[in-house]
Amino acid sequence: MKTHRVNELIELIHPEWKKHSELNLVEFLLKLAEEAKFEGKLEDLSDDVLIYHLKMRNSDQKEIIPGLAKDCENDFKTAILRARGIIK
């Protein structure tokens, strides 16, 4: 894992973990994995799952995931024209 990803994960996890200070780190990670509907082993939980879940944890259910919002088009016709390279 790159240093900037470690820093980002620590920055995101710290305020959320403080809300659940009765849990140790592993318990809190298990809670996050369960919330994210991750069904694998804890050692297979990727930093991407944790980062995106922590970013979206307190947001509205209908809010678009950061990183996908830039590619969304409200108008189907515009989306098709952009996909075909007719408009930029």
Side-chain angles (χ1 to χ4, degrees):
M1 190 185 311
K2 303 278 185 200
T3 304
H4 71 279
R5 293 185 64 82
V6 171
N7 293 337
E8 181 180 13
L9 187 54
I10 290 170
E11 185 179 298
L12 290 167
I13 208 168
H14 184 256
E16 296 299 318
W17 191 14
K18 284 174 72 173
K19 294 176 188 174
H20 303 279
S21 59
E22 73 281 358
L23 301 176
N24 67 41
L25 180 58
V26 175
E27 290 171 331
F28 187 63
L29 290 175
L30 286 168
K31 178 179 178 60
L32 291 175
E34 184 180 298
E35 288 176 5
K37 307 290 188 236
F38 182 77
E39 296 178 352
K41 297 181 204 172
L42 187 59
E43 60 264 21
D44 295 331
L45 182 64
S46 71
D47 54 321
D48 290 328
V49 171
L50 289 171
I51 288 171
Y52 278 107
H53 180 64
L54 286 164
K55 283 183 177 182
M56 299 301 293
R57 189 171 193 225
N58 297 317
S59 64
D60 183 22
Q61 292 274 335
K62 296 182 184 197
E63 191 173 323
I64 298 174
I65 297 172
L68 296 180
K70 65 179 175 52
D71 296 326
C72 288
E73 291 289 345
N74 292 329
D75 177 37
F76 182 73
K77 181 179 176 183
T78 304
I80 293 293
L81 293 173
R82 193 175 310 278
R84 291 185 179 171
I86 296 170
I87 62 173
K88 292 192 183 236

